[in-house]
């Protein structure tokens, strides 16, 4: 059975290295043929909105927008329901391919057989 990754990123521009690590691992896993579901929570929620990932910059790191594009192309990206609501982000504000879902969906994903969950 193939294993898959669920990656929850809680950091954004407030902790750029941790944030970029999550996106880098997600993109690298996809490039290696691993199924990936990336959850945007906390300050990373803003990256579900067009243009926000392009504003992010971290020296010596792949551009966050490129990493996000890779995940959107080959994996799944989910924005936390409560995190979206706290930031007044609605489905009309999202990048194409991003969905909004809550804790029940997260729990379902991370408890599935063959899943490894990582939190950044």
């Amino acid at each position: 059975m193939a294993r898959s990754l669920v990656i929850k990123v809680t950091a954004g521009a407030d902790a750029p290295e941790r944030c970029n690590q999550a996106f880098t691992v997600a993109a690298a896993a996809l490039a290696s043929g691993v199924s990936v579901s990336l959850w945007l929570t906390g300050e990373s929620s803003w990256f579900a909105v067009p243009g926000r990932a392009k504003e992010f910059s971290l020296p010596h790191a792949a551009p966050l927008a490129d990493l996000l594009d890779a995940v959107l192309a080959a994996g799944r990206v989910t924005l936390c329901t409560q995190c979206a609501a706290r930031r007044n982000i609605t489905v009309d504000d999202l990048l194409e391919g991003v969905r909004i879902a809550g804790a029940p969906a997260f729990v379902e994903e991370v408890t599935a057989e063959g899943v490894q969950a990582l939190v950044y």
Side-chain angles (χ1 to χ4, degrees), residues 6-10 18 22 106 117-120:
V6 175
I7 300 173
K8 182 178 190 178
V9 56
T10 62
R18 188 162 33 109
F106 180 77
L118 303 173
V119 178
Y120 288 87

Side-chain angles (χ1 to χ4, degrees), residues 2-3 9 31 37 52-53 58 64-65 77 89 99 112 114 116:
R3 290 185 48 103
V9 56
S37 175
R52 291 296 186 104
L58 182 64
L64 195 72
V77 178
I89 300 172
R99 70 177 183 146
Q116 173 70 51

Side-chain angles (χ1 to χ4, degrees), residues 8 39-43 45-46 78-90 99-104 106:
K8 182 178 190 178
W39 281 73
L40 304 176
T41 68
E43 286 303 298
S45 299
W46 293 111
T78 305
L79 172 59
C80 162
T81 302
Q82 291 182 14
C83 300
R86 280 190 282 276
R87 290 160 181 81
N88 296 314
I89 300 172
T90 69
R99 70 177 183 146
I100 295 178
F106 180 77

